[in-house]
Amino acid sequence: MSSQIADAADAMVSGSSDLVVLDGVGFGVADVVRLADGDARPVPGTDAMKRAAESWDAARQIAATGRVYGRSTGVGANRNEDVPTEAAAEHGLRLLRSHAGAIGDELPAREVRAMLAVRANQLLAGGAGLRPTVVTALCEALESGVYPAVNEFGSVGTGDIAALAQVGLALVGERSWRGTGRDSVGVPEPQPLDNNDALALISSNALTLGQSALALHELRGLIGATQVVGALSLLAVDGSHEPFAAPVHAARPHRGSVEVARRMRELIGAADRPTPPLGRIQDPYGFRCLPQIHGPAHDAADALEEVLAIEINAAAENPFISAEDMTAYHHGGFYQAQLALALDHFRLALTQVARLSTSRLSSLNEPSFTRLKPFLADNEPASSGVMILEYAAAAALGDLRAFSAPASLGHAVLSRGVEEQASFASLAARQTLRACRAYRLVVGCELVAAVRALRQRDLRPEPELPVGRALELAESVLDDETADRPLTDDVTAAAGLLDRFTEIWRGSTS
């Protein structure tokens, strides 16, 4: 263990809060995000490092006495070709060189760092049979801020082998690193990755999992922020509290919907059994069906996080090295059907939430709901007000619809027909990440309109209510000019506020 990692371990004993322990067991989505953002330092657990060392020792013994895929044989359709003993030393390096063929743009540092964090933790689950110094090297890279150059395309959901081979070449010193070292920690020492290490390193979906964790963390928060924006819109149209009544959801107790209704009552200060309002009997779906649409999105986020919690801590390498049995088990545990389906489900649910936001935006433009000028315009004749926001939001929603197309419907037959199926979880992860920006802009459009309507109606919820704090925050940022003008900057500012709204939403819990 390097001196830097040892120092981190000592700090862990003293209870430092800026550390994340990698143990191959309890590493989670929030941990991936903290390490990807450079907000914490990684510490490999002592027992986990011991487990990794035992796996490495077992792997070398097994490969020395029998045929083991990727160690004493080729890979893919070359699985039946033996690697001669005299060629074994170079076999691993040739494997990394041949597979480091990812294409496309270089990935952002944050996504690569997420991949490094996931891979380091997976290796500590103890099934890879990879030398433990690789874990130390990955942790040093995360701590110092350096990361290898990795390109975006190369996986079909059966292993991020191209991206991880690029990492492998950086570890052996044949590929460049990006970033600058900090805290006197720089580029990790070169690792001697031989025939017993190469496949063990790249047999993982660490990039897909890292990207999925980043996307889930951001979008889960944004769904909560959207509920706060929806609450502001509800106030702006004198919306009914009845759709959030506790008896309604006790009678149909889907977990997510029950929780969304409860949080809405807390956001706006509604009673568990609210009094029916005077006037219109019921609101449009944008308000009335909010729990029934936001709820499934939260349920989908929970389901995705459950899959990620397993995969991030899984010893899914093929072959699986069992030190206990002294056996290399060849299997298909790398296949990411659960993840691809969970990501697809999540994006479909997310898109419905965004679509509901555009419905509320349309209601805010209707005088019959706000008792204001059409499109929340000023008093000049035929002013357009926020009319264009409906078009802009619909355009961004169009991207979301495209991103929500199920990636799991993809199909590929590869390596001379030996690998005849693909999950395309990697595509699902990229689509989910790409959805983040479009989603923010859709909800940003609603927020601009909701705040303008509340200002024009001079409505101010109680400041101690969460929705009151949200309005105060929004008014401190958004321009109060109502004359016709470009609204691009307003929407950009509103979209940037959503993370603050997430904090308000998270605080609205008993």
Side-chain angles (χ1 to χ4, degrees):
M1 183 181 293
S2 73
S3 60
Q4 291 83 10
I5 300 299
D7 291 343
D10 291 340
M12 180 181 65
V13 174
S14 65
S16 177
S17 61
D18 67 343
L19 299 177
V20 170
V21 178
L22 285 70
D23 59 5
V25 177
F27 194 62
V29 167
D31 298 319
V32 175
V33 174
R34 291 182 66 200
L35 291 177
D37 289 337
D39 293 336
R41 301 165 63 195
V43 181
T46 303
D47 290 343
M49 286 293 282
K50 180 181 178 182
R51 190 162 55 237
E54 291 172 349
S55 176
W56 186 50
D57 290 339
R60 288 181 296 161
Q61 294 181 50
I62 295 167
T65 59
R67 300 181 78 213
V68 180
Y69 177 77
R71 296 176 188 263
S72 56
T73 76
V75 299
N78 292 332
R79 68 195 186 284
N80 292 319
E81 293 194 24
D82 294 333
V83 177
T85 302
E86 62 271 16
E90 290 296 317
H91 172 59
L93 190 55
R94 292 200 317 273
L95 187 65
L96 292 176
R97 288 169 177 165
S98 66
H99 281 65
I103 60 175
D105 295 337
E106 284 191 14
L107 291 172
R110 188 170 183 254
E111 294 178 31
V112 179
R113 288 172 56 81
M115 173 179 66
L116 299 183
V118 170
R119 191 67 191 115
N121 184 71
Q122 288 178 321
L123 294 171
L124 293 170
L130 178 65
R131 66 183 66 221
T133 56
V134 173
V135 175
T136 304
L138 294 175
C139 288
E140 287 176 347
L142 287 167
E143 185 179 352
S144 71
V146 299
Y147 60 96
V150 174
N151 300 88
E152 62 181 330
F153 298 121
S155 172
V156 293
T158 57
D160 297 325
I161 54 178
L164 286 163
Q166 291 181 316
V167 174
L169 289 184
L171 288 172
V172 301
E174 290 196 2
R175 190 172 175 87
S176 63
W177 294 80
R178 301 288 190 259
T180 56
R182 60 175 181 263
D183 298 332
S184 301
V185 185
V187 174
E189 290 291 325
Q191 297 295 307
L193 301 180
D194 59 20
N195 66 308
N196 282 310
D197 297 303
L199 183 63
L201 173 66
I202 68 176
S203 183
S204 162
N205 293 279
L207 174 58
T208 297
L209 293 167
Q211 291 172 322
S212 299
L214 295 178
L216 172 61
H217 179 80
E218 180 173 357
L219 290 169
R220 184 196 284 277
L222 289 176
I223 295 169
T226 305
Q227 186 172 351
V228 180
V229 176
L232 290 172
S233 296
L234 181 78
L235 296 177
V237 300
D238 298 318
S240 172
H241 296 179
E242 287 180 279
F244 317 110
V248 170
H249 297 279
R252 187 175 178 266
H254 289 291
R255 182 178 60 184
S257 297
V258 169
E259 178 61 11
V260 167
R262 185 193 65 78
R263 290 208 186 198
M264 183 62 89
R265 295 195 300 272
E266 292 192 1
L267 285 170
I268 62 179
D272 285 354
R273 290 171 167 77
T275 302
L278 299 175
R280 63 177 178 265
I281 294 296
Q282 56 188 21
D283 294 326
Y285 282 10
F287 305 100
R288 186 161 32 119
C289 298
L290 190 148
Q292 289 75 24
I293 292 176
H294 282 230
H298 286 292
D299 290 341
D302 289 343
L304 175 55
E305 185 151 13
E306 288 176 7
V307 171
L308 288 172
I310 291 173
E311 295 296 339
I312 288 170
N313 295 284
E317 298 86 3
N318 178 42
F320 170 71
I321 303 300
S322 173
E324 181 181 1
D325 300 340
M326 286 302 293
T327 300
Y329 292 104
H330 299 86
H331 62 87
F334 51 82
Y335 193 89
Q336 289 294 312
Q338 289 96 336
L339 180 59
L341 292 167
L343 285 165
D344 285 352
H345 176 201
F346 179 55
R347 289 195 315 285
L348 288 167
L350 178 81
T351 301
Q352 293 223 7
V353 174
R355 191 165 61 196
L356 202 70
S357 175
T358 65
S359 297
R360 291 192 296 271
L361 175 58
S362 295
S363 295
L364 290 167
N365 283 335
E366 269 296 325
S368 60
F369 292 112
T370 63
R371 299 194 293 277
L372 298 169
K373 298 272 287 183
F375 306 110
L376 307 177
D378 64 7
N379 291 320
E380 293 296 326
S383 290
S384 296
V386 299
M387 177 193 296
I388 197 62
L389 293 187
E390 286 192 58
Y391 295 81
L397 182 63
D399 268 23
L400 275 174
R401 281 198 305 270
F403 295 146
S404 69
S408 54
L409 292 177
H411 179 61
V413 178
L414 306 168
S415 194
R416 298 174 59 195
V418 172
E419 299 169 5
E420 74 280 20
Q421 184 84 342
S423 74
F424 282 94
S426 49
L427 173 59
R430 289 196 303 274
Q431 289 181 167
T432 309
L433 266 178
R434 290 168 181 165
C436 294
R437 181 172 178 271
Y439 183 92
R440 279 183 182 272
L441 293 173
V442 170
V443 181
C445 289
E446 181 191 355
L447 178 56
V448 170
V451 172
R452 180 182 285 212
L454 289 167
R455 279 170 163 165
Q456 289 182 340
R457 295 194 60 196
D458 197 23
L459 292 176
R460 293 292 182 278
E462 295 295 329
E464 65 270 15
L465 289 175
V467 74
R469 298 195 297 273
L471 179 59
E472 182 179 358
L473 173 62
E475 286 191 304
S476 71
V477 173
L478 298 180
D479 194 335
D480 61 0
E481 175 59 61
T482 59
D484 282 356
R485 57 185 176 80
L487 295 171
T488 304
D489 291 343
D490 298 68
V491 175
T492 300
L497 278 176
L498 295 180
D499 292 325
R500 304 276 300 276
F501 275 35
T502 298
E503 296 171 8
I504 292 173
W505 173 77
R506 286 181 174 145
S508 64
T509 182
S510 300

